[in-house]
Amino acid sequence: MPLSHLARAIGLCYGRRRREVTQLVRLFEKADMWRLALPESSQRGVIMSTARCVWRTTLLLGLFTGLHVPVTNALSAQMLGLSEATIEDINAAFDSGTLTSERLVELYLARIQAYDQEGPRLNAVLWLNDQALETARILDEERRMSGPRSPLHGIPVALKDNIDTADMPTTAGSLLLAGSLPPDDAFIVEKLRSAGAIILAKLNMSELASGVTMSSVGGFIRNPHDIERSPAGSSGGTGAAIAAAFAQLGIGTDTGGSVRGPTTANGIAGLTPTHGLLSRDGIVPLALSFDMAGPMARHVYDVAAMLGVMTGIDPDDVATSKSSNRFETDYTQFLDVSALGDARIGIARDFLGQDTEVDWIIEASLDAMRAKGATVVDVHFPQWLLDVKGDWYTTIRWREFRAQIPEYLATIGPKYPKTLSEMVERSMEITSLTPEGGTPNPTRWSLLVQEEESGTLDDHEYIAMKNYGLPMAQSIVAGLMDAQDLDVIVYPTSPTRPSLVNGGSSGGGVSATNIANLTGFPDLIVPAGFTSDQLPVGISFLGRPFSEPRLLGLGYAFEQATKVRRNPRTTPPLAGAEIRR
């Protein structure tokens, strides 16, 4: 007789309530699955017999004595590696008393010590919050006294260094802003702290969110999957840090692909939200027509959990008014393993054909979607849009940086430059290594000159692009989706594998990422697989404005169907760092 049938029969005979019987039946079903999953060996029969006896004795003891709840807790406990645990797992461990926030912070600090400051020296972390452990202790006590504020209560978060924190420097990775302490937190940082999150660290980045994946403050960042490879930019420090499990959650910023490139290059999940869904107040601007902060994490669940904490209308960022009555405060409710079953998905084949191995992984991903019931159709963008999108982007991006960076510089101390022209002048004075360990960044500083000479916000090219080019791009992409009734358009986030740190391999390729910026549409990235040289490949889910609930549902379903994320080979788990939920 199957064990579950035995549990039901005996439970009902001994007068147990139906709910208790159902609970025991589920335990016996677990017992059946567990022993069926035992490895084949010459001793298998003996092991199975012993296991069966132990399970029956333990569960029947609970049945007869009424101790079924403790038995349930003991048998359902799970041991998870730190990088495997989602926020849901960590909160379960908090609730069971097997983990504290203080201990969680210690685990992440140990990994930063082992792999950023020593070992492969990823160079992802610029500043550590010296109050993180004390904050964790306070939040642990608050949890004991009054319960958690939110699912992020006591959860460590690491921020890209262009996001203001009043208690840590915000330099955007630039020696030109070295030591700058902003007057207050960015809006989204205030939201995170109010939810009980712990700001653990500020992370290295491409300087001023553009150029090569290095900063004059911190130097080059390394990819934890292969330290000779780039983690991509400009949120490369966030991508590397989250992949290497230096924090549970990370925040990047995206103007032309700067959340999505590092997400795919480091094999994690990330989202560039709809333009206006999150405030940019307190973030060093690159181009406000495109700029968005975005959550990055090892799991889609965590991306969803973090996103809902940060949404809301900010009077200091007019773009957030677009999200009125359209934002959610809990996106985890939309995660659905069966979401692919009724989905219509377009594959943008314009962005295949640049790396055979990336193409193979994307085709395998499409097959996985079809296996879950999705309909997949080919989509092609107009060639003229592919030809001009780069120029359209630069026309707005360079001019807006020139016009908007002074507004941010006005909020920080008087010793810092106040215009782009002053930034160019000061950069010319830094031609050698600094005593603090800084280094010149001629590639990015050369771009400052081009941005300074690009034009103004009242010239005819900018006005034409802002008023007509961007709406045209929005109409084209929405029209492609409407024409075939698509939920999303998918594409390889990077059509080629990550480039070498020194730029010695092709890398990059013609990507679709700036289409999301030109339109302001949301773009979710999920790990899709690995190349033969063990480099991660991600797949993008591009949706309509404020379709994050649907995007996250589809991305979660794909993630759970494929489960391809792996720990980077240079940053393995540390001994004793498991989470017991």
Side-chain angles (χ1 to χ4, degrees), residues 283-359:
I283 298 176
V284 181
L286 187 61
L288 290 174
S289 289
F290 304 142
D291 290 349
M292 281 301 296
M296 300 166 70
R298 290 179 293 280
H299 311 283
V300 173
Y301 183 96
D302 289 6
V303 170
M306 191 180 195
L307 179 65
V309 164
M310 298 187 293
T311 55
I313 307 301
D314 178 6
D316 291 324
D317 184 355
V318 66
T320 59
S321 63
K322 295 187 291 186
S323 70
S324 180
N325 299 317
R326 305 189 76 176
F327 71 83
E328 303 284 345
T329 57
D330 177 15
Y331 286 89
T332 63
Q333 65 181 305
F334 303 107
L335 304 182
D336 179 6
V337 294
S338 63
L340 287 165
D342 61 350
R344 285 186 57 82
I345 294 172
I347 169 64
R349 294 202 171 274
D350 308 283
F351 307 103
L352 297 172
Q354 300 175 61
D355 185 321
T356 300
E357 295 200 3
V358 171
D359 293 354

Side-chain angles (χ1 to χ4, degrees), residues 453-478:
E453 296 173 350
S454 62
T456 66
L457 302 192
D458 57 6
D459 70 36
H460 64 281
E461 289 185 17
Y462 176 84
I463 292 171
M465 201 55 55
K466 178 78 172 176
N467 293 346
Y468 301 102
L470 298 189
M472 186 184 301
Q474 293 164 359
S475 294
I476 287 292
V477 177

Side-chain angles (χ1 to χ4, degrees), residues 66 186 319 324 347 386 511 520 538 544:
S324 180
I347 169 64
L386 301 180
S511 172
R544 292 177 172 81

